[in-house]
Amino acid sequence: MIEDKNPQRTSLSQLGEFGLIEHLTKNFDVKQQSTLKSIGDDAAVLDFRDKKIVVSTDLLIEGVHFDLSYMPLRHLGYKAVVVNVSDICAMNAKPTQITVSIAVSNRFPLEALEELFDGIILASKFYNIDVIGGDTTSSQKGLIISITALGEANENEIVYRNGAKQGDLLVVSGDLGSAYMGLQVLEREKQVFQVNPNNQPDLDAYTYLIERQLRPEARHDIKDLLAKLNVKPTSMIDISDGLSSEIIHICKQSAVGCNLYEEKIPVDPQFINVCEEFNIDSTTVAINGGEDYELLFTIAMEDFDKIKANPNFTVIGHMVQESEGIHLITRANTKIPLKARGWNALSE
């Protein structure tokens, strides 16, 4: 929506593949003791000794996962790291390394990729992770980013999705729904801009929501917070596809049911105001929106006193026997079956 009319453009063909890789990766420093060899060889070399390794990978595709008409490339680079780091955090593990691969069309000059990698560099410093390799290739249609994240944990620290038990409490970090409403604001302003390119958007009233969409943060702090409270979750997942979808994942893999309480779902005041502005039901958005990258986990009932005063956590429900099903308990005390209406990557 805000475009530099005279950008410098350096053709990628001037550098070639290896020159491009060297140029984009020159600012990555090694921070982890487990990184024995980083970028510059046929493969990276890692030494985790007695730790267990966790690995996750994600694709971000232009036109499917992001829109460059309002997503700055620096923010995109940062977010691409976050969505992968979040998966490692959801295993109750410490993120340590990532590989970064990109496919790019010839409409992108070197300066555009420098912006993208500025965001990747910033995220790698913030999360104290090493960029240890990757790949570059050409694309016929836009930009594709693939990041693989690695992390480490002691075997007794790792938390899976399948450990929830009947009677466990359902807990979430942070607040929900803001990223989705940030996307709605950006999509609306894009349409206004397309009708009148001279109309510059005033986004001051939506700062928090837009930040949650364009530059979310992974909850890498939760592992240490829980350890200090002497709490180990019985199951855990990150909220990327929507609260309802993630609850159903835990329930199916743990063979339990769940009661989620509408009045307990944490939301931000700015989120409520914008839902009213858009005439959208705030609960529907909060349970289906996705891309919040908060952590959803279950804990044993006896651990409630340890977390109840912590502002990072909200108890939003409890697990029941599988035969009771998965339900949302409304403010009017009505029981509604919970369905996965969040993001579906393969929907038509």
Side-chain angles (χ1 to χ4, degrees):
M1 289 182 280
I2 301 173
E3 183 179 0
D4 184 351
K5 300 300 182 183
N6 298 294
Q8 182 181 352
R9 293 182 62 88
T10 303
S11 172
L12 300 182
S13 62
Q14 292 179 228
L15 288 87
E17 182 181 0
F18 297 113
L20 176 62
I21 293 170
E22 183 177 354
H23 182 86
L24 293 176
T25 61
K26 63 186 178 183
N27 294 318
F28 289 121
D29 300 319
V30 172
K31 297 171 282 292
Q32 297 290 333
Q33 289 184 354
S34 54
T35 305
L36 299 185
K37 178 64 179 178
S38 181
I39 297 167
D41 217 308
D42 290 304
V45 180
L46 308 178
D47 179 11
F48 286 87
R49 295 177 183 168
D50 297 328
K51 300 283 187 179
K52 300 301 178 183
I53 304 170
V54 294
V55 183
S56 181
T57 191
D58 265 303
L59 274 172
L60 294 179
I61 299 174
E62 184 178 355
V64 177
H65 301 101
F66 59 88
D67 185 334
L68 290 178
S69 64
Y70 52 71
M71 168 65 86
L73 284 163
R74 183 179 283 108
H75 286 4
L76 176 61
Y78 193 97
K79 183 174 181 177
V81 175
V82 164
V83 301
N84 286 274
V85 167
S86 182
D87 283 332
I88 303 301
C89 296
M91 301 297 294
N92 203 38
K94 171 189 172 185
T96 50
Q97 288 94 2
I98 60 171
T99 64
V100 179
S101 296
I102 59 171
V104 60
S105 69
N106 59 12
R107 90 172 197 267
F108 291 89
L110 173 63
E111 288 73 21
L113 296 191
E114 286 176 335
E115 287 281 311
L116 179 72
F117 271 73
D118 281 347
I120 295 172
I121 291 168
L122 183 62
S124 69
K125 290 179 178 177
F126 181 77
Y127 291 104
N128 195 37
I129 54 178
D130 294 336
V131 181
I132 59 169
D135 192 18
T136 60
T137 190
S138 60
S139 165
Q140 294 298 314
K141 294 184 178 180
L143 177 63
I144 300 171
I145 306 170
S146 175
I147 292 183
T148 297
L150 297 90
E152 64 178 31
N154 294 319
E155 186 170 9
N156 63 354
E157 294 174 330
I158 297 174
V159 178
Y160 301 95
R161 298 178 182 180
N162 63 359
K165 302 288 191 296
Q166 180 181 342
D168 284 354
L169 299 176
L170 185 67
V171 186
V172 70
S173 66
D175 61 85
L176 303 178
S178 293
Y180 179 85
M181 288 313 299
L183 179 62
Q184 301 316 298
V185 171
L186 290 167
E187 286 286 350
R188 181 185 67 183
E189 295 305 320
K190 174 187 174 181
Q191 293 173 14
V192 171
F193 180 79
Q194 288 173 337
V195 173
N196 182 7
N198 294 318
N199 186 5
Q200 291 297 307
D202 181 6
L203 302 175
D204 289 345
Y206 312 105
T207 303
Y208 178 69
L209 305 185
I210 291 173
E211 182 175 338
R212 292 281 280 178
Q213 170 57 221
L214 296 185
R215 191 181 148 170
E217 297 289 0
R219 295 308 302 262
H220 68 303
D221 57 325
I222 298 300
K223 181 179 187 295
D224 288 340
L225 277 173
L226 291 173
K228 289 176 181 176
L229 295 170
N230 195 29
V231 173
K232 182 187 175 183
T234 54
S235 67
M236 184 181 283
I237 193 171
D238 77 326
I239 302 177
S240 55
D241 299 332
L243 177 64
S244 58
S245 295
E246 315 304 2
I247 290 175
I248 291 170
H249 282 314
I250 287 178
C251 287
K252 285 186 175 180
Q253 295 203 23
S254 298
V256 293
C258 180
N259 285 335
L260 168 68
Y261 291 87
E262 180 183 16
E263 63 182 1
K264 300 294 185 182
I265 299 172
V267 293
D268 186 83
Q270 189 176 101
F271 165 80
I272 294 294
N273 293 337
V274 177
C275 283
E276 292 175 354
E277 179 184 336
F278 278 72
N279 194 28
I280 297 176
D281 179 69
S282 60
T283 299
T284 300
V285 175
I287 65 176
N288 296 311
E291 288 202 294
D292 292 303
Y293 299 105
E294 296 293 344
L295 293 180
L296 176 73
F297 56 96
T298 54
I299 63 170
M301 181 72 74
E302 53 264 30
D303 286 332
F304 172 67
D305 287 340
K306 299 176 184 177
I307 71 159
K308 66 180 181 181
N310 193 298
N312 291 282
F313 304 129
T314 305
V315 177
I316 59 173
H318 64 272
M319 315 313 283
V320 296
Q321 62 184 11
E322 187 175 20
S323 60
E324 289 188 36
I326 308 168
H327 292 92
L328 173 71
I329 311 300
T330 70
R331 291 184 178 88
N333 204 32
T334 303
K335 210 170 186 179
I336 302 173
L338 196 64
K339 296 182 179 180
R341 293 191 174 94
W343 167 255
N344 180 356
L346 301 179
S347 62
E348 297 182 357

